[in-house]
Amino acid sequence: MDVSWTRDLDKLQEGIAELQQKIANVLDLPLWEQDESRRADELKQRLMMEGKILIILDDIWTEVDLEEVGIPSKGDETQCKIVLASRDGDLLCKDMGAQICFPVEHLPPEEAWSFFKKTSGDSVEEDLELRPIAIQVVEECEGVPIAIVTIATALKDETVAVWKNALEQLRSCAPTNIKAVGKKVYLCLEWSYTHLKGDNVKSLFLLCGMLGYGDISFDLLFQYCMGLDLFDHMEPLEQATNKLVTLVEILKASGLLLDSHKDRHNFDEEKASSL
């Protein structure tokens, strides 16, 4: 049996019991026990009896103890597969010990357009006046799924004038008047920024934003950091360089900084980064 289940786990506001119940509902499993640990045992036994099961835990912001929930995650006694998604790479790879960690890359143009149409409706392709504007809107999203789905939802069934206004705002990098964009996209970025550990890494993120959108050379970034005394008077040059590389990696793990388009796989002091 294949079961796909997705759940917003923002700070686990609804608790372990709620998460257990959601999974049990998919399995048509009544959970009679009131104690969470006993419910976890009951749920785990049932999952181990099933065939192939896929559980997707989406938008995770804090560590989830899978065993506490009742999701078998250790050993080979189950065919249960678990997919975890989060903006915090370290949360998945380090805190939760995910076996395989990989970033979700930006969508290629064809997939971005297909995703956008599916969200906003087929009318964007059927309307000859709207279609070229919609294509340009998708291009401004640059393949970022959260931007595509948020903007597509906000513009669904809107007039051509509203679409044109949205395109102008996206091109000016100030989509503050597009319905729902501020609430969903900016709050997501704000959460990621707020939960950065240390003032230095926050200062580096703000510095990258001041330097502008696009590729930023490591050398230029290093010069600004030294000039702004971001390294607290570290004497050895190598130590300061290592510090900057570490801060950059933290931003990348948080999804706030990406490798340059020139190289999406490696980073060192001779390569660029992009915000």
Side-chain angles (χ1 to χ4, degrees):
M1 177 176 64
D2 294 323
V3 177
S4 178
W5 180 81
T6 180
R7 180 75 183 131
D8 183 350
L9 294 176
D10 187 1
K11 299 182 181 179
L12 291 181
Q13 291 178 345
E14 295 181 313
I16 296 298
E18 179 72 11
L19 182 54
Q20 291 172 332
Q21 189 61 56
K22 290 292 183 179
I23 299 176
N25 289 343
V26 176
L27 298 172
D28 293 325
L29 172 65
L31 293 177
W32 305 109
E33 298 289 348
Q34 297 300 317
D35 182 75
E36 286 185 3
S37 62
R38 293 183 179 181
R39 289 162 62 94
D41 291 338
E42 187 178 354
L43 186 60
K44 182 176 181 180
Q45 291 178 10
R46 175 59 183 272
L47 288 172
M48 291 174 62
M49 292 173 57
E50 296 291 340
K52 295 181 179 179
I53 297 178
L54 172 63
I55 298 179
I56 303 175
L57 303 184
D58 185 33
D59 199 19
I60 299 176
W61 293 104
T62 188
E63 184 177 354
V64 182
D65 189 330
L66 299 178
E67 293 293 325
E68 184 179 350
V69 175
I71 301 175
S73 59
K74 300 178 180 179
D76 300 323
E77 68 276 6
T78 177
Q79 297 187 62
C80 179
K81 300 297 182 181
I82 307 164
V83 177
L84 310 173
S86 174
R87 285 182 57 84
D88 188 343
D90 286 342
L91 172 65
L92 302 183
C93 300
K94 297 181 180 180
D95 297 340
M96 298 189 64
Q99 295 180 352
I100 302 176
C101 298
F102 58 90
V104 178
E105 301 289 352
H106 292 186
L107 298 177
E110 299 79 8
E111 292 186 21
W113 174 243
S114 177
F115 185 32
F116 190 88
K117 287 192 301 179
K118 182 178 180 181
T119 306
S120 63
D122 292 333
S123 61
V124 296
E125 189 166 38
E126 299 169 355
D127 190 322
L128 297 181
E129 183 181 9
L130 184 58
R131 188 175 189 276
I133 303 173
I135 291 176
Q136 295 177 74
V137 168
V138 175
E139 290 175 351
E140 293 299 322
C141 292
E142 296 191 335
V144 180
I146 188 175
I148 293 173
V149 70
T150 302
I151 294 174
T153 301
L155 294 177
K156 185 176 182 179
D157 299 327
E158 293 288 356
T159 64
V160 173
V162 174
W163 280 78
K164 288 182 177 179
N165 178 64
L167 178 58
E168 292 174 359
Q169 291 191 51
L170 289 170
R171 285 176 171 170
S172 67
C173 297
T176 54
N177 293 323
I178 303 178
K179 181 178 62 178
V181 170
K183 180 178 180 180
K184 294 185 178 180
V185 176
Y186 289 115
L187 284 181
C188 186
L189 293 175
E190 181 184 12
W191 191 97
S192 297
Y193 170 79
T194 301
H195 285 72
L196 289 173
K197 297 179 180 179
D199 293 335
N200 280 353
V201 68
K202 291 182 178 180
S203 298
L204 178 61
F205 174 74
L206 296 176
L207 174 60
C208 290
M210 293 175 62
L211 292 177
Y213 180 85
D215 291 346
I216 305 171
S217 72
F218 186 90
D219 288 340
L220 178 61
L221 195 58
F222 185 82
Q223 292 174 27
Y224 274 100
C225 288
M226 293 296 289
L228 294 173
D229 199 20
L230 198 61
F231 300 133
D232 298 325
H233 301 289
M234 289 183 179
E235 289 81 9
L237 183 62
E238 181 180 0
Q239 186 177 355
T241 301
N242 292 337
K243 178 67 174 180
L244 181 55
V245 171
T246 301
L247 295 177
V248 167
E249 291 298 330
I250 293 175
L251 289 178
K252 286 165 57 180
S254 301
L256 294 173
L257 201 65
L258 303 175
D259 284 333
S260 168
H261 293 288
K262 299 175 183 177
D263 190 333
R264 287 290 189 188
H265 303 289
N266 299 296
F267 175 86
D268 59 38
E269 54 268 30
E270 294 181 357
K271 292 184 174 68
S273 294
S274 60
L275 180 64

Coordinates of all heavy atoms in Angstrom, one line a residue, residues 59-138:
D59 N 7.5 21.2 5.2 CA 7.6 22.5 5.9 C 8.0 22.3 7.4 O 7.3 22.9 8.2 CB 6.3 23.3 5.7 CG 6.6 24.7 5.9 OD1 7.7 25.2 5.8 OD2 5.6 25.5 6.2
I60 N 9.0 21.6 7.7 CA 9.4 21.3 9.1 C 10.3 22.5 9.5 O 11.2 22.9 8.9 CB 10.2 20.0 9.2 CG1 9.3 18.8 8.7 CG2 10.7 19.8 10.6 CD1 10.1 17.5 8.7
W61 N 9.9 23.0 10.7 CA 10.7 24.2 11.2 C 11.4 23.8 12.5 O 12.3 24.6 13.0 CB 9.7 25.3 11.6 CG 9.1 25.9 10.3 CD1 7.8 25.7 9.9 CD2 9.7 26.8 9.4 NE1 7.6 26.4 8.7 CE2 8.8 27.1 8.4 CE3 11.0 27.3 9.3 CZ2 9.0 27.9 7.3 CZ3 11.3 28.2 8.2 CH2 10.3 28.5 7.2
T62 N 11.1 22.7 13.1 CA 11.8 22.3 14.3 C 11.9 20.7 14.3 O 11.2 20.1 13.5 CB 11.0 22.7 15.6 OG1 11.7 22.5 16.7 CG2 9.6 22.0 15.7
E63 N 12.8 20.2 15.1 CA 13.1 18.8 15.1 C 11.9 18.0 15.5 O 11.2 18.3 16.4 CB 14.3 18.5 16.1 CG 14.7 17.1 16.1 CD 15.9 16.8 17.0 OE1 16.4 17.8 17.5 OE2 16.3 15.7 17.1
V64 N 11.7 16.9 14.8 CA 10.6 16.0 15.0 C 11.1 14.6 15.4 O 11.9 14.0 14.7 CB 9.7 15.8 13.8 CG1 8.5 14.9 14.1 CG2 9.1 17.2 13.3
D65 N 10.7 14.1 16.5 CA 11.2 12.8 17.0 C 10.2 11.8 16.4 O 9.1 11.5 16.8 CB 11.1 12.7 18.5 CG 11.8 11.4 19.0 OD1 11.7 10.4 18.3 OD2 12.3 11.4 20.1
L66 N 10.7 11.1 15.3 CA 9.8 10.2 14.5 C 9.4 9.0 15.4 O 8.2 8.5 15.3 CB 10.5 9.7 13.3 CG 10.9 10.8 12.3 CD1 11.7 10.2 11.1 CD2 9.7 11.5 11.8
E67 N 10.3 8.5 16.2 CA 9.9 7.4 17.1 C 8.9 7.8 18.1 O 8.0 7.0 18.5 CB 11.2 6.9 17.8 CG 12.2 6.3 16.9 CD 11.8 4.9 16.3 OE1 11.0 4.2 17.0 OE2 12.1 4.7 15.1
E68 N 8.9 9.0 18.6 CA 7.9 9.5 19.5 C 6.5 9.6 18.9 O 5.5 9.3 19.5 CB 8.3 10.9 20.1 CG 7.4 11.4 21.1 CD 7.8 12.8 21.6 OE1 9.0 13.2 21.3 OE2 7.1 13.4 22.4
V69 N 6.5 9.9 17.6 CA 5.3 9.9 16.8 C 4.7 8.5 16.6 O 3.5 8.3 16.6 CB 5.5 10.7 15.5 CG1 4.2 10.6 14.7 CG2 5.9 12.1 15.7
G70 N 5.7 7.6 16.4 CA 5.2 6.2 16.0 C 5.6 5.9 14.6 O 5.1 4.9 14.1
I71 N 6.5 6.6 14.0 CA 6.9 6.4 12.6 C 8.2 5.6 12.7 O 9.2 6.1 13.2 CB 7.2 7.7 11.9 CG1 5.9 8.5 11.8 CG2 7.7 7.4 10.4 CD1 6.0 9.8 11.2
P72 N 8.2 4.3 12.2 CA 9.5 3.5 12.3 C 10.5 4.1 11.4 O 10.3 4.2 10.2 CB 9.0 2.1 11.8 CG 7.8 2.4 11.0 CD 7.1 3.6 11.6
S73 N 11.6 4.4 12.0 CA 12.7 5.1 11.2 C 14.1 4.4 11.4 O 15.0 4.9 10.8 CB 12.8 6.6 11.6 OG 13.1 6.7 12.9
K74 N 14.1 3.4 12.1 CA 15.4 2.7 12.4 C 15.3 1.2 12.0 O 14.3 0.6 12.3 CB 15.8 2.9 13.9 CG 16.0 4.3 14.3 CD 16.3 4.4 15.8 CE 16.5 5.9 16.2 NZ 16.8 6.0 17.7
G75 N 16.4 0.7 11.5 CA 16.4 -0.7 11.1 C 15.7 -1.0 9.8 O 15.2 -0.1 9.1
D76 N 15.8 -2.2 9.4 CA 15.2 -2.6 8.1 C 13.9 -3.4 8.2 O 13.5 -4.1 7.3 CB 16.3 -3.5 7.3 CG 17.6 -2.7 7.1 OD1 17.5 -1.5 6.8 OD2 18.6 -3.4 7.2
E77 N 13.3 -3.3 9.4 CA 12.1 -4.2 9.6 C 10.8 -3.6 8.9 O 9.8 -4.1 9.0 CB 11.8 -4.3 11.1 CG 11.4 -3.1 11.8 CD 12.6 -2.2 12.2 OE1 13.7 -2.5 11.9 OE2 12.4 -1.2 12.9
T78 N 10.9 -2.4 8.3 CA 9.8 -1.8 7.7 C 10.1 -1.3 6.3 O 11.3 -1.0 6.0 CB 9.3 -0.6 8.5 OG1 8.2 0.0 7.8 CG2 10.3 0.4 8.7
Q79 N 9.1 -1.2 5.4 CA 9.3 -0.6 4.1 C 8.8 0.8 4.1 O 8.6 1.4 3.0 CB 8.6 -1.4 3.0 CG 9.1 -2.9 2.9 CD 8.4 -3.6 1.8 OE1 8.5 -3.2 0.6 NE2 7.7 -4.7 2.1
C80 N 8.6 1.4 5.2 CA 8.2 2.8 5.3 C 9.3 3.7 4.9 O 10.4 3.7 5.4 CB 7.8 3.1 6.8 SG 7.2 4.7 7.1
K81 N 8.9 4.6 3.9 CA 9.8 5.6 3.5 C 9.4 7.0 3.9 O 8.2 7.3 3.9 CB 9.9 5.6 1.9 CG 10.4 4.2 1.3 CD 11.8 3.9 1.8 CE 12.3 2.6 1.1 NZ 13.7 2.3 1.6
I82 N 10.3 7.8 4.4 CA 10.0 9.1 4.9 C 10.7 10.2 4.2 O 11.9 10.1 4.0 CB 10.4 9.1 6.4 CG1 9.8 8.0 7.2 CG2 9.9 10.5 7.0 CD1 10.4 7.7 8.5
V83 N 9.9 11.1 3.7 CA 10.5 12.3 3.0 C 10.3 13.5 3.9 O 9.1 13.8 4.3 CB 9.8 12.5 1.6 CG1 10.4 13.8 1.0 CG2 10.1 11.3 0.7
L84 N 11.3 14.2 4.2 CA 11.3 15.4 5.0 C 11.6 16.6 4.2 O 12.6 16.6 3.4 CB 12.2 15.3 6.2 CG 12.2 14.0 7.1 CD1 13.3 14.0 8.1 CD2 10.8 13.9 7.8
A85 N 10.9 17.7 4.4 CA 11.2 18.9 3.7 C 11.3 20.1 4.6 O 10.4 20.3 5.5 CB 10.1 19.2 2.6
S86 N 12.3 20.9 4.5 CA 12.5 22.1 5.4 C 13.4 23.1 4.7 O 14.2 22.8 3.8 CB 13.1 21.6 6.7 OG 13.5 22.7 7.5
R87 N 13.2 24.3 5.1 CA 14.1 25.4 4.6 C 15.5 25.3 5.4 O 16.4 26.0 4.9 CB 13.5 26.8 4.8 CG 12.4 27.1 3.8 CD 11.9 28.5 4.1 NE 12.9 29.5 4.0 CZ 13.3 30.0 2.8 NH1 12.8 29.6 1.7 NH2 14.3 30.9 2.8
D88 N 15.5 24.6 6.4 CA 16.8 24.5 7.2 C 17.4 23.1 6.9 O 17.0 22.1 7.4 CB 16.4 24.6 8.7 CG 17.6 24.7 9.6 OD1 18.7 24.3 9.1 OD2 17.5 25.1 10.8
G89 N 18.5 23.2 6.1 CA 19.2 21.9 5.8 C 19.8 21.2 6.9 O 19.8 20.0 7.0
D90 N 20.4 22.0 7.9 CA 21.0 21.4 9.0 C 20.0 20.7 9.9 O 20.4 19.7 10.6 CB 21.7 22.5 9.8 CG 23.0 23.0 9.2 OD1 23.5 22.3 8.3 OD2 23.5 24.1 9.5
L91 N 18.8 21.2 10.0 CA 17.8 20.5 10.8 C 17.6 19.1 10.3 O 17.5 18.2 11.1 CB 16.5 21.3 10.7 CG 15.3 20.7 11.4 CD1 15.4 20.5 12.9 CD2 14.0 21.5 11.0
L92 N 17.5 18.9 9.0 CA 17.3 17.6 8.5 C 18.5 16.7 8.5 O 18.5 15.6 8.9 CB 16.8 17.7 7.0 CG 15.5 18.5 6.8 CD1 15.1 18.5 5.3 CD2 14.4 18.0 7.6
C93 N 19.6 17.3 8.1 CA 20.9 16.5 7.9 C 21.6 16.2 9.3 O 22.1 15.1 9.5 CB 21.8 17.2 7.0 SG 21.2 17.4 5.3
K94 N 21.6 17.2 10.2 CA 22.3 17.0 11.4 C 21.4 16.6 12.6 O 21.6 15.7 13.3 CB 23.0 18.3 11.7 CG 24.1 18.7 10.7 CD 24.8 20.0 11.1 CE 25.9 20.3 10.1 NZ 26.6 21.6 10.4
D95 N 20.3 17.4 12.8 CA 19.5 17.2 14.0 C 18.6 15.9 13.8 O 18.5 15.2 14.8 CB 18.6 18.4 14.2 CG 19.3 19.7 14.5 OD1 20.5 19.5 14.9 OD2 18.8 20.8 14.4
M96 N 18.1 15.7 12.6 CA 17.2 14.6 12.4 C 17.9 13.4 11.7 O 17.3 12.3 11.6 CB 16.0 15.0 11.6 CG 15.1 16.0 12.3 SD 13.5 16.3 11.6 CE 12.7 14.7 11.7
G97 N 19.1 13.6 11.3 CA 19.9 12.5 10.8 C 19.4 11.9 9.5 O 19.4 10.7 9.3
A98 N 18.9 12.7 8.6 CA 18.3 12.2 7.3 C 19.5 11.5 6.6 O 20.6 11.9 6.5 CB 17.8 13.3 6.5
Q99 N 19.1 10.3 6.0 CA 20.2 9.5 5.3 C 20.6 10.2 4.0 O 21.8 10.1 3.7 CB 19.6 8.1 5.0 CG 19.3 7.3 6.2 CD 18.7 6.0 5.9 OE1 18.4 5.7 4.8 NE2 18.6 5.1 6.9
I100 N 19.7 10.8 3.2 CA 20.1 11.4 2.0 C 19.5 12.8 2.0 O 18.3 13.0 2.2 CB 19.5 10.7 0.8 CG1 20.0 9.2 0.7 CG2 19.9 11.4 -0.5 CD1 19.4 8.4 -0.4
C101 N 20.4 13.8 1.9 CA 20.0 15.2 1.9 C 20.4 15.9 0.6 O 21.5 15.7 0.1 CB 20.7 16.0 3.1 SG 20.3 15.3 4.7
F102 N 19.4 16.6 0.0 CA 19.7 17.3 -1.2 C 18.8 18.5 -1.3 O 17.7 18.5 -0.8 CB 19.4 16.4 -2.4 CG 18.0 15.8 -2.5 CD1 17.0 16.5 -3.2 CD2 17.7 14.7 -1.9 CE1 15.7 16.1 -3.2 CE2 16.4 14.2 -1.9 CZ 15.4 14.9 -2.6
P103 N 19.3 19.6 -1.9 CA 18.5 20.8 -2.1 C 17.5 20.6 -3.2 O 17.8 20.0 -4.2 CB 19.6 21.9 -2.4 CG 20.6 21.1 -3.1 CD 20.7 19.7 -2.4
V104 N 16.4 21.3 -3.1 CA 15.4 21.3 -4.2 C 15.8 22.5 -5.1 O 15.6 23.6 -4.7 CB 13.9 21.4 -3.6 CG1 13.0 21.5 -4.8 CG2 13.6 20.3 -2.7
E105 N 16.2 22.1 -6.3 CA 16.7 23.2 -7.2 C 15.5 24.0 -7.7 O 14.4 23.6 -7.7 CB 17.5 22.6 -8.3 CG 18.7 21.8 -7.9 CD 19.8 22.7 -7.3 OE1 19.7 23.9 -7.5 OE2 20.8 22.1 -6.8
H106 N 15.8 25.1 -8.3 CA 14.8 25.9 -9.0 C 14.2 25.1 -10.1 O 14.9 24.4 -10.8 CB 15.4 27.2 -9.5 CG 15.8 28.2 -8.4 ND1 16.2 29.4 -8.6 CD2 15.8 28.0 -7.0 CE1 16.5 30.0 -7.4 NE2 16.3 29.1 -6.5
L107 N 12.9 25.3 -10.4 CA 12.3 24.6 -11.5 C 12.8 25.1 -12.8 O 12.9 26.4 -13.0 CB 10.8 24.8 -11.4 CG 10.1 24.2 -10.1 CD1 8.6 24.5 -10.2 CD2 10.3 22.7 -10.0
P108 N 13.0 24.3 -13.8 CA 13.3 24.7 -15.2 C 12.1 25.4 -15.8 O 11.0 25.3 -15.3 CB 13.7 23.4 -15.9 CG 13.0 22.4 -15.1 CD 13.0 22.8 -13.7
P109 N 12.3 26.3 -16.8 CA 11.2 27.1 -17.4 C 10.0 26.3 -17.7 O 8.9 26.7 -17.4 CB 11.9 27.7 -18.6 CG 13.3 27.8 -18.3 CD 13.6 26.5 -17.5
E110 N 10.1 25.1 -18.3 CA 8.9 24.3 -18.7 C 8.1 23.9 -17.5 O 6.9 24.0 -17.5 CB 9.4 23.1 -19.5 CG 10.1 23.4 -20.8 CD 11.5 23.8 -20.6 OE1 12.0 23.6 -19.5 OE2 12.2 24.2 -21.6
E111 N 8.8 23.4 -16.5 CA 8.1 22.9 -15.3 C 7.5 24.1 -14.5 O 6.5 24.0 -13.9 CB 9.1 22.2 -14.4 CG 9.6 20.8 -15.0 CD 10.4 20.0 -14.0 OE1 10.3 20.3 -12.8 OE2 11.1 19.1 -14.4
A112 N 8.3 25.2 -14.5 CA 7.7 26.4 -13.8 C 6.4 26.9 -14.4 O 5.5 27.2 -13.7 CB 8.8 27.5 -13.8
W113 N 6.4 26.9 -15.8 CA 5.2 27.4 -16.5 C 4.1 26.4 -16.2 O 2.9 26.8 -16.0 CB 5.5 27.5 -17.9 CG 4.3 27.8 -18.8 CD1 3.8 27.1 -19.8 CD2 3.5 29.0 -18.7 NE1 2.7 27.7 -20.4 CE2 2.5 28.9 -19.7 CE3 3.5 30.1 -17.9 CZ2 1.5 29.8 -19.9 CZ3 2.5 31.1 -18.1 CH2 1.5 30.9 -19.1
S114 N 4.3 25.1 -16.3 CA 3.3 24.1 -16.0 C 2.8 24.2 -14.6 O 1.5 24.1 -14.4 CB 3.9 22.7 -16.3 OG 2.9 21.7 -16.0
F115 N 3.6 24.4 -13.6 CA 3.2 24.5 -12.2 C 2.4 25.8 -12.1 O 1.4 25.8 -11.3 CB 4.5 24.5 -11.4 CG 4.2 24.6 -9.9 CD1 3.1 23.9 -9.3 CD2 5.1 25.2 -9.0 CE1 2.8 24.0 -8.0 CE2 4.8 25.3 -7.7 CZ 3.7 24.6 -7.1
F116 N 2.8 26.8 -12.7 CA 2.1 28.1 -12.6 C 0.7 28.0 -13.2 O -0.3 28.4 -12.6 CB 2.8 29.2 -13.3 CG 2.3 30.6 -13.1 CD1 2.8 31.3 -12.0 CD2 1.4 31.1 -14.0 CE1 2.3 32.6 -11.8 CE2 0.9 32.4 -13.7 CZ 1.3 33.2 -12.7
K117 N 0.6 27.3 -14.3 CA -0.8 27.1 -15.0 C -1.7 26.3 -14.1 O -2.9 26.6 -14.0 CB -0.6 26.5 -16.4 CG 0.0 27.4 -17.4 CD -0.2 26.7 -18.8 CE 0.5 25.4 -18.9 NZ 0.4 24.8 -20.2
K118 N -1.1 25.2 -13.5 CA -1.9 24.3 -12.7 C -2.5 25.1 -11.5 O -3.6 24.8 -11.1 CB -1.0 23.2 -12.2 CG -1.8 22.1 -11.4 CD -0.9 21.0 -11.0 CE -1.6 19.9 -10.2 NZ -0.7 18.8 -9.8
T119 N -1.7 26.0 -11.0 CA -2.1 26.8 -9.8 C -3.1 27.9 -10.1 O -4.1 28.1 -9.4 CB -0.9 27.3 -9.1 OG1 0.0 26.3 -8.8 CG2 -1.3 28.0 -7.7
S120 N -2.8 28.6 -11.2 CA -3.6 29.8 -11.5 C -4.8 29.5 -12.5 O -5.7 30.3 -12.6 CB -2.7 30.9 -12.2 OG -2.2 30.4 -13.4
G121 N -4.8 28.3 -13.1 CA -5.8 28.0 -14.0 C -5.4 28.0 -15.5 O -4.5 28.8 -15.8
D122 N -6.0 27.2 -16.3 CA -5.7 27.2 -17.7 C -6.0 28.4 -18.5 O -5.6 28.6 -19.6 CB -6.4 26.0 -18.4 CG -5.8 24.6 -17.8 OD1 -4.7 24.6 -17.4 OD2 -6.6 23.6 -17.8
S123 N -6.8 29.3 -17.9 CA -7.1 30.6 -18.6 C -5.9 31.4 -18.9 O -6.0 32.2 -19.9 CB -8.1 31.4 -17.7 OG -7.5 31.7 -16.5
V124 N -4.8 31.3 -18.2 CA -3.7 32.1 -18.5 C -3.1 31.7 -19.8 O -2.4 32.5 -20.5 CB -2.6 31.9 -17.4 CG1 -3.1 32.4 -16.1 CG2 -2.2 30.5 -17.3
E125 N -3.3 30.5 -20.3 CA -2.8 30.1 -21.6 C -3.8 30.3 -22.7 O -3.5 30.6 -23.8 CB -2.4 28.6 -21.6 CG -1.7 28.1 -22.8 CD -1.0 26.8 -22.6 OE1 -1.6 25.9 -22.0 OE2 0.1 26.6 -23.2
E126 N -5.1 30.2 -22.3 CA -6.2 30.4 -23.3 C -6.4 31.9 -23.6 O -6.8 32.2 -24.8 CB -7.5 29.8 -22.8 CG -7.3 28.3 -22.5 CD -8.5 27.7 -21.8 OE1 -9.4 28.5 -21.4 OE2 -8.6 26.5 -21.6
D127 N -6.2 32.8 -22.7 CA -6.4 34.2 -22.9 C -5.2 34.8 -23.7 O -4.1 34.9 -23.1 CB -6.6 34.9 -21.6 CG -7.1 36.3 -21.7 OD1 -6.6 37.0 -22.7 OD2 -7.9 36.8 -20.9
L128 N -5.4 35.2 -24.9 CA -4.3 35.6 -25.7 C -3.7 36.9 -25.2 O -2.5 37.2 -25.4 CB -4.8 35.9 -27.2 CG -5.3 34.6 -27.9 CD1 -5.7 34.9 -29.3 CD2 -4.2 33.5 -27.9
E129 N -4.5 37.8 -24.5 CA -3.9 39.0 -24.0 C -3.2 38.7 -22.7 O -2.2 39.4 -22.4 CB -5.1 40.0 -23.7 CG -4.6 41.3 -23.2 CD -5.7 42.3 -22.9 OE1 -6.9 41.9 -23.0 OE2 -5.5 43.5 -22.6
L130 N -3.7 37.8 -21.9 CA -3.1 37.5 -20.6 C -1.8 36.6 -20.7 O -0.9 36.8 -19.9 CB -4.1 36.8 -19.7 CG -3.7 36.5 -18.3 CD1 -3.3 37.8 -17.5 CD2 -4.9 35.8 -17.5
R131 N -1.8 35.7 -21.7 CA -0.7 34.7 -21.7 C 0.7 35.3 -21.7 O 1.5 34.9 -20.9 CB -0.9 33.8 -22.9 CG 0.0 32.6 -23.0 CD -0.3 31.7 -24.1 NE 0.5 30.5 -24.0 CZ 1.7 30.3 -24.5 NH1 2.3 31.4 -25.1 NH2 2.4 29.2 -24.4
P132 N 1.0 36.3 -22.6 CA 2.4 36.9 -22.6 C 2.7 37.5 -21.3 O 3.9 37.5 -20.9 CB 2.3 37.9 -23.8 CG 0.9 38.2 -24.0 CD 0.2 36.9 -23.6
I133 N 1.7 38.1 -20.6 CA 2.0 38.8 -19.3 C 2.3 37.7 -18.3 O 3.2 37.8 -17.5 CB 0.8 39.6 -18.9 CG1 0.5 40.7 -19.9 CG2 1.1 40.3 -17.5 CD1 -0.8 41.4 -19.6
A134 N 1.5 36.6 -18.3 CA 1.7 35.5 -17.4 C 3.1 34.9 -17.5 O 3.8 34.5 -16.6 CB 0.6 34.4 -17.5
I135 N 3.5 34.7 -18.8 CA 4.8 34.1 -19.1 C 5.9 35.0 -18.4 O 6.9 34.5 -17.8 CB 5.0 34.0 -20.6 CG1 4.1 32.9 -21.1 CG2 6.5 33.6 -20.9 CD1 4.2 32.7 -22.6
Q136 N 5.8 36.3 -18.5 CA 6.8 37.2 -18.0 C 6.8 37.2 -16.4 O 7.8 37.3 -15.8 CB 6.5 38.6 -18.5 CG 6.8 38.8 -20.0 CD 6.4 40.2 -20.4 OE1 7.2 41.1 -20.2 NE2 5.3 40.4 -21.1
V137 N 5.6 37.0 -15.9 CA 5.4 36.9 -14.4 C 6.2 35.6 -13.9 O 6.9 35.6 -12.9 CB 4.0 36.8 -14.0 CG1 3.8 36.4 -12.5 CG2 3.3 38.2 -14.2
V138 N 6.0 34.5 -14.7 CA 6.7 33.3 -14.3 C 8.2 33.4 -14.4 O 8.9 32.9 -13.5 CB 6.2 32.1 -15.2 CG1 7.0 30.8 -14.9 CG2 4.7 31.9 -15.0

